[in-house]
Amino acid sequence: MRRLVLTLAVLGCSSSPPSPPPTAPEPQPATPVVQRLTADTPVTTLGASFVAPAGWTMRVSGRAHILEAPEGGSWVMVADIDGDGDPIAKGWAAFRTGGADREVRSMIHEADRDGWTHQRTYSYATSPSERRRVTAGVKRHGTHWIAWVADMDIAVADKRSSQLDLIYGQLLPKGYQRESFAGRTAHKLDAARIAELGAYIERAREELDIPGVALGVIQDGEIVFAGGFGVRELGKPAKVDADTLFLIASNTKSLTTMMIGKLVDEGKLRWDTPITSVLPEFKLGDAETTRQVQIKHLICACTGLPYQNLEWLLEFQNLTAAKVVERLAGMQPTSRFGALYQYSNPLAAAGGFVAAHAAYPELELGAAYDKAMQSRVFSPLGMTQTTFDGARALRGNHALPHDVGVDGKLAVAQMENCRAVWSMRPTAGAWSNVRDLLKYIHMELANGVLPGGKRYVSADILAARVAPQSKPGRDLTYGMGLEVERTYGVPVVHHGGRFSGYRTDMMWLPEHGVGAVFLTNGAGGNGIMSTFNRKLLELLFDGKPEADAAVAAAGKALREANDAVRTQLTVPADPATARQLAAHYRNDSLGDIRVVTSGGGVVFDFGEWRSPMASRRNADGTVSLVTSIPGWRFELVPGIADGKRTLVIRSAQHEYMFTEQ
């Protein structure tokens, strides 16, 4: 899945004391200029430039540009400040008196980048009843400082994440131009450059506390590297190599859309085929959106259906492909069709199931998908080791997932978590390795032609899959299960995958005949995902050396963030809070939680998996109970509703209440 982490913050429950509405930024002495933006609008300040998103309201007051989201009550500010005194305090003063008084939950130092130095990002403690995310930061270019503040409703921040990325991703020093490799000729990745790439991977592995990494690189149709670094499991001697299987998570999406493209090539579907003509019972929670949805829309992140994963992460025991599709009827879009990039794993999974139904209508939806993938993708591309069968993968050469628990120690994540993706396999369920994925990338770079010269798929199909359907922000467009990034002037086609201790990515530069894939078995792989693209471009085009410093900064930030989380938690959970819990809770969408006392602590048994609980006391007097197993981090807030004990969990734009049984 594309999201950076599976950290689900619970931000409220009915028993929490009501919070006052968020305080609007105080007016500055100068008369503000207020503008409602009808289009994405470039803005230049004294020392910076950024893009203000369409639909927002912008107020200019003194040296501060204050943007308010269309929903109201959520703000982002960018302000020029002088360098005397504490720059973050001055940033808050430009936005609102008293904001800097919030408790700082973490402060992260970031690497010098895009002309900025002295970059620091602050995350502030918020109480569940606030349902808010508050962050701020400062950065410097020469002698000029910029401060920014984001005070956002959680649901609005999630819904408008692409617009936030547009602001932050284009926040550059005034007059600064990013390094561009457009028009340059790529170097051959000779032994020296491959050795440097390997050294970067090894440094990153150590900095980010990743047990193992598999890496593959192809150039001009030839594999220039395929191998591994580190181990498959922490504390065990078996090494990662090019044949080691990893759960590739959302990289599965591009394989699924390739299967759909093959069916389009065969004439069994069109990209614009209405979904209901293939599967009449298909429906979303909104009838108008249902009428508009075509095959291509199921995997374009453009329907307005939001990120909504808890239903299958917590309740997957008996989840079939048919139920995955059926559940969509209860999911409501939160933005207009085509208006915003919003990433939906259930909808993408349905895309694979529904398309395969067109090929094999006599089969159960999951069986049809499996057969379509084997016959249209895995077999013709020679991907002999790629599988959706997790049990088969775990019997052979495989890497286990790792993450940091609340004790701050790296450990193997629960494999039960990975069983959740079986029912959702078109979106995140494939196990694969470097050797197989290089075969797929080879085909993409050869524009649909196999090594022997036989055409596998038409060039039009490949082009359709990368054509922009939505815009995640910051020089990014999203097609059908594939992104195209142009940050440095060279189109890079790729997709990442993140799930419970696995981080993976594969990419190719169609203009230069270069492709790469890396697979990691540690959550710290986020740091490689954010820097590998840059490192590869540096080696190909003699770019300024930035990637290694960025990896070092990512490692430091990861350690600081883990330390901050650990110091805020009581492990095991506070006994007084534990004693007040009911023995059994239920939510109709998410199933049951049974509360078990074990070894002096409390364990939450979700049915499919279980975890000892830690606790954190919040400023509003509530206590959050936090899962402590490596791999997933869920927070639940105990309360009372209608005379019954409750637990409330929040994920992105959705909140769910478990009620005492």
Side-chain angles (χ1 to χ4, degrees):
M1 292 168 290
R2 188 178 186 275
R3 295 297 179 91
L4 186 61
V5 287
L6 277 170
T7 300
L8 306 175
V10 180
L11 297 167
C13 68
S14 60
S15 66
S16 301
S19 291
T23 305
E26 295 182 355
Q28 302 298 307
T31 302
V33 178
V34 180
Q35 179 183 9
R36 183 168 293 280
L37 306 173
T38 58
D40 293 344
T41 304
V43 177
T44 301
T45 76
L46 290 176
S49 62
F50 64 94
V51 176
W56 291 53
T57 298
M58 181 169 66
R59 178 165 63 87
V60 181
S61 185
R63 294 184 174 184
H65 288 70
I66 300 172
L67 306 170
E68 185 171 10
E71 293 80 3
S74 291
W75 301 278
V76 174
M77 181 214 69
V78 177
D80 298 283
I81 58 174
D82 60 56
D84 298 327
D86 182 0
I88 193 65
K90 291 194 170 189
W92 272 107
F95 178 59
R96 175 190 301 139
T97 301
D101 295 338
R102 279 187 179 271
E103 177 190 350
V104 176
R105 181 159 288 174
S106 66
M107 190 275 287
I108 303 299
H109 291 88
E110 299 182 29
D112 295 350
R113 186 180 181 186
D114 289 335
W116 297 114
T117 63
H118 298 78
Q119 296 192 84
R120 301 194 299 275
T121 297
Y122 298 78
S123 176
Y124 295 89
T126 58
S127 293
S129 54
E130 293 182 89
R131 296 172 171 85
R132 298 189 76 75
R133 180 179 301 139
V134 182
T135 53
V138 293
K139 51 186 68 185
R140 192 173 85 179
H141 178 70
T143 60
H144 196 92
W145 286 87
I146 290 290
W148 58 269
V149 173
D151 186 350
M152 303 284 295
D153 176 270
I154 284 281
V156 173
D158 184 82
K159 173 182 174 180
R160 299 196 174 273
S161 62
S162 60
Q163 292 186 318
L164 293 174
D165 193 72
L166 185 66
I167 299 170
Y168 303 140
Q170 299 294 342
L171 181 56
L172 300 171
K174 185 177 180 179
Y176 180 85
Q177 295 292 322
R178 282 197 178 107
E179 184 176 28
S180 175
F181 306 122
R184 297 196 195 179
T185 300
H187 288 295
K188 286 290 185 183
L189 292 170
D190 56 17
R193 285 184 167 83
I194 289 298
E196 186 175 343
L197 187 62
Y200 150 84
I201 290 289
E202 194 55 60
R203 285 192 298 272
R205 199 176 66 76
E206 294 177 3
E207 288 278 1
L208 299 163
D209 209 9
I210 304 168
V213 181
L215 173 68
V217 184
I218 188 171
Q219 185 173 37
D220 298 332
E222 299 295 328
I223 295 174
V224 295
F225 184 84
F229 305 80
V231 295
R232 305 176 202 168
E233 181 180 355
L234 193 67
K236 301 288 182 65
K239 302 292 185 182
V240 171
D241 58 33
D243 294 305
T244 302
L245 291 170
F246 294 73
L247 183 70
I248 65 170
S250 283
N251 279 295
T252 308
K253 289 181 175 69
S254 60
L255 302 179
T256 294
T257 65
M258 178 54 66
M259 178 271 289
I260 300 172
K262 285 286 289 179
L263 296 178
V264 173
D265 234 8
E266 295 169 17
K268 296 186 182 300
L269 291 170
R270 300 187 314 276
W271 292 119
D272 62 357
T273 296
I275 296 302
T276 52
S277 70
V278 180
L279 195 68
E281 60 268 35
F282 176 91
K283 62 179 178 178
L284 301 175
D286 178 81
E288 178 59 28
T289 305
T290 302
R291 283 192 290 271
Q292 297 179 69
V293 174
Q294 303 167 1
I295 288 292
K296 65 183 179 182
H297 296 139
L298 294 177
I299 24 78
C300 70
C302 63
T303 63
L305 221 63
Y307 197 73
Q308 192 169 348
N309 282 341
L310 278 184
E311 283 88 343
W312 61 273
L313 289 175
L314 294 184
E315 189 71 355
F316 58 81
Q317 191 75 56
N318 300 309
L319 188 58
T320 64
K323 287 183 179 178
V324 169
V325 176
E326 180 184 328
R327 281 183 177 183
L328 291 172
M331 296 185 181
Q332 298 283 350
T334 59
S335 60
R336 289 183 296 103
F337 194 95
L340 291 173
Y341 167 89
Q342 293 212 67
Y343 193 82
S344 170
N345 281 300
L347 194 62
F353 292 138
V354 172
H357 179 69
Y360 303 108
E362 73 283 0
L363 297 180
E364 179 268 331
L365 290 178
Y369 173 77
D370 295 341
K371 186 171 182 178
M373 289 298 292
Q374 190 64 50
S375 61
R376 266 72 173 189
V377 181
F378 300 156
S379 291
L381 292 180
M383 299 174 69
T384 57
Q385 299 180 75
T386 302
T387 182
F388 293 111
D389 185 343
R392 171 190 154 190
L394 295 177
R395 286 195 296 269
N397 176 356
H398 68 279
L400 289 178
H402 298 76
D403 204 345
V404 175
V406 294
D407 60 359
K409 297 178 181 178
L410 189 70
V412 174
Q414 276 196 9
M415 287 308 297
E416 285 85 348
N417 302 357
C418 295
R419 291 193 294 113
V421 297
W422 164 248
S423 58
M424 301 286 292
R425 52 196 180 278
T427 195
W431 293 78
S432 193
N433 57 26
V434 159
R435 207 171 297 282
D436 271 9
L437 292 173
L438 284 177
K439 295 173 183 177
Y440 166 75
I441 293 172
H442 183 283
M443 178 276 300
E444 289 275 8
L445 287 171
N447 209 24
V449 176
L450 298 177
K454 180 182 177 182
R455 178 158 290 281
Y456 163 69
V457 69
S458 69
D460 288 346
I461 295 298
L462 298 183
R465 289 167 64 243
V466 297
Q469 301 288 337
S470 57
K471 188 174 177 58
R474 190 187 162 163
D475 303 310
L476 277 175
T477 58
Y478 198 88
M480 290 182 272
L482 289 169
E483 290 181 337
V484 181
E485 182 176 353
R486 295 178 174 84
T487 302
Y488 301 107
V490 175
V492 180
V493 183
H494 78 112
H495 205 290
R498 300 173 173 90
F499 192 78
S500 189
Y502 291 107
R503 302 293 187 270
T504 67
D505 209 337
M506 57 182 176
M507 64 197 68
W508 54 95
L509 285 66
E511 295 179 354
H512 299 280
V514 175
V517 56
F518 65 83
L519 311 171
T520 80
N521 63 346
N526 285 325
I528 299 181
M529 295 180 77
S530 64
T531 59
F532 183 88
N533 181 344
R534 174 68 199 186
K535 183 64 179 183
L536 185 61
L537 293 175
E538 288 173 11
L539 292 171
L540 288 169
F541 302 108
D542 291 332
K544 298 173 185 176
E546 297 179 356
D548 290 87
V551 159
K556 186 174 186 292
L558 182 64
R559 291 187 291 274
E560 290 172 347
N562 287 336
D563 289 345
V565 168
R566 192 164 62 253
T567 58
Q568 294 155 15
L569 294 177
T570 298
V571 184
D574 172 57
T577 300
R579 284 194 296 269
Q580 296 173 12
L581 296 172
H584 180 200
Y585 297 85
R586 179 167 180 79
N587 176 274
D588 288 342
S589 296
L590 305 185
D592 296 277
I593 299 175
R594 297 192 181 273
V595 179
V596 181
T597 301
S598 176
V602 62
V603 173
F604 278 13
D605 188 337
F606 294 90
E608 284 77 3
W609 56 279
R610 64 202 319 254
S611 173
M613 304 302 289
S615 62
R616 186 187 67 236
R617 187 160 296 279
N618 303 308
D620 65 355
T622 60
V623 175
S624 292
L625 291 165
V626 184
T627 56
S628 64
I629 59 170
W632 283 351
R633 187 69 47 79
F634 298 97
E635 299 185 13
L636 301 99
V637 177
I640 301 289
D642 298 327
K644 291 189 174 184
R645 285 172 285 188
T646 61
L647 292 169
V648 172
I649 186 169
R650 187 176 182 87
S651 170
Q653 299 177 48
H654 298 89
E655 185 175 275
Y656 306 82
M657 180 180 289
F658 290 85
T659 304
E660 177 182 6
Q661 299 300 294

